[in-house]
Amino acid sequence: MLCMTAAVVLWALPATAQESTSGSNGVDILGLRGTRAQPAAQQAATAQQAPPPQYDPASTGAIPDPATAENADDSLFSLPANADDPFADAPPPDNGRRPSTALRRTAARNTVGEIAPGPMRENLRAEAVDQDVNMPVEREPTIDTLENPLIDQRAERVQAIERLRRPHDERPFAPVGIRAGSFILRPSLEQGMTATSNASVSHDGSSAVLSETTLRLNAVSDWSRHAATIDAYGNLRRSLSGEDLKESRIGVDARLDLDLGNELRGFGTLNYLRRPESASSPAAIAGTLSQPIVQTVGGSLGLEKDVGKARFGIAGRLEHDIYGDAELSTGGSVSQKDRDSTLAALTLRGGYEISPALTPFLEAEVGRRQYDQKVDSNGYERSSDRIGARAGLALDMGEKLSGEFSAGWLRESFDDDRLRPVSGPTIAAAMNWSPERGTIIHLAASTEAEGSTVAGESGSLLHSLRLSAEREIRANLTANAALGFGYRDYSGSNGHDTIFSAEAGATWWLNRYAGLTGRLRHERLRSNLPYRDYDANSVFVGMTVQR
């Protein structure tokens, strides 16, 4: 019985709820359920009776507000419905007073500090004080976006100088040079004193203390295609005590390299040397106050052409020797104009490039040595014809190893049949080797034909070899050393000279422009001819100034 009663109650409750929440026309009063189905005719009548949509203005006051309560505006900006009721609850009326200046400044400071950092804060704060702090403050552009027509548009901001990182200088004590047009000049001056055991470097020389000054100049072109170099020096030596000595040396070597295109290159050289004749020279005159001055002026022009791996070259050389008068210790002088001569030579070269680093070559030379005076003071015609041949190897391994060396034979035949030709083997080398960074080893070798003034003697061949090394021990400490060897072979006799030299020095740079220099040198000559042997030891201490 109870179950049947509960079932009837549960069945009746939904129907009752549906009828209680709907009106007589089937409209949902509470909005919880949808409308019941209506006939089609009744729906059409309802659509015709529906009023058209009213215009809703975007801003208040565009059209007059209706007076009826049904169409009352319920927007946030409309007056409350009971605005005309004096007894209704309403917000307190505005008393017309503005906040105090202190409150407005505090609000402006907080607002401006959030949106406008930088120098514009003060201006914005002043404006905010005069205006309501509740009004929005427009964001000002940053300083970087402000356009200033007086500033170059290409100008860019850069970091402060304190923050710039300068590149590391690998050679902080190397000369910086002086720019002169398209050349960079590097001058240096060396001044010091030399104590020597043999001032004249001769068989009968004695000790002395000398004042020695050396001025050097190196100039290198700053061209994109061609290149030019100039090396010049001047040396002056004067005795302060001991053996009297007064001599000077001047030397200039210049070279120009031209890139003519199509694997064709041209070059030219110019050299000048002014020096006193060595007291150990075979042609030196005994009993002179000082050795005569010898001047040599020369130059060369050449072309080089690459055809595939073949290398061809031709060069012409011109050299003129001028000898000064010799002043005798007994008074008077001896002219040596009969020793003045001019050498003209032409050299042809051909080589083949085995690899970019190795190029063997063959060289042939023909020339003529012409004396200014056809017959010398002893009645001999010393003009001669010159011929030579050499074979060598050119190396090009970049900064590590570069240069060339060769060996061959040279012969000079005189116009006078009474003089025997001067002939013999020749060597030539110019090599640069850098086994490690900061170390440079240089090898130089040459063979020179020397004339003679002795009646019946043709002359001699002098073979010279010099090995030098330079080492940068520290950035401000540079050391150098050199070994030299020479052999003079007298033509037509068994006479010969052997020359040996050794040198070591160092320079301690106080700064980039000045340093202290010291050198030790030993030289000796041994000969199977009388009155030619000598030994010479010297010490130099001075200061070097460079730019």
Side-chain angles (χ1 to χ4, degrees), residues 77-101:
F77 301 96
S78 62
L79 295 175
N82 55 358
D84 55 350
D85 187 359
F87 301 101
D89 294 335
D94 186 8
N95 56 8
R97 297 182 60 186
R98 300 176 63 185
S100 64
T101 304

Side-chain angles (χ1 to χ4, degrees), residues 3-22:
C3 294
M4 294 179 62
T5 303
V8 171
V9 173
L10 294 175
W11 174 80
L13 284 176
T16 306
Q18 182 177 359
E19 293 177 358
S20 62
T21 57
S22 302

